[in-house]
Amino acid sequence: MNSQEQGPLLSQRAAIVFVLGTLAGLSAGVLTAFNGGSPAAALLAGGAAGAGAVLFFYTIIG
C-alpha cells in the first residue's frame, strides 16, 4: 500500500469523542485546582471525568 493511499488515523467520530473527553477532563481538573484542591486531586478528578466523558460520548454519538 502506498503512503498516499492510506486513510485517516482516526475516524471523525473517534476524534470528536476524544476531543470532548479531553475538554471535559481538563475542565474538571482546572475547576478542582481552582477550588483549592491539590495537584494530585486535580489530576485524579480530571482523569476520572475524562474517562467518563469518553464513555458517555462514545455511547451517545452515533
Side-chain angles (χ1 to χ4, degrees):
M1 181 179 253
N2 223 351
S3 64
Q4 295 175 347
E5 296 174 9
Q6 292 179 351
L9 183 61
L10 288 174
S11 67
Q12 191 173 21
R13 176 184 180 223
I16 290 172
V17 167
F18 285 132
V19 165
L20 291 174
T22 301
L23 289 175
L26 284 173
S27 299
V30 167
L31 288 174
T32 301
F34 282 160
N35 195 31
S38 67
L43 183 64
L44 287 172
V54 166
L55 289 173
F56 174 73
F57 288 121
Y58 177 78
T59 303
I60 66 167
I61 296 177

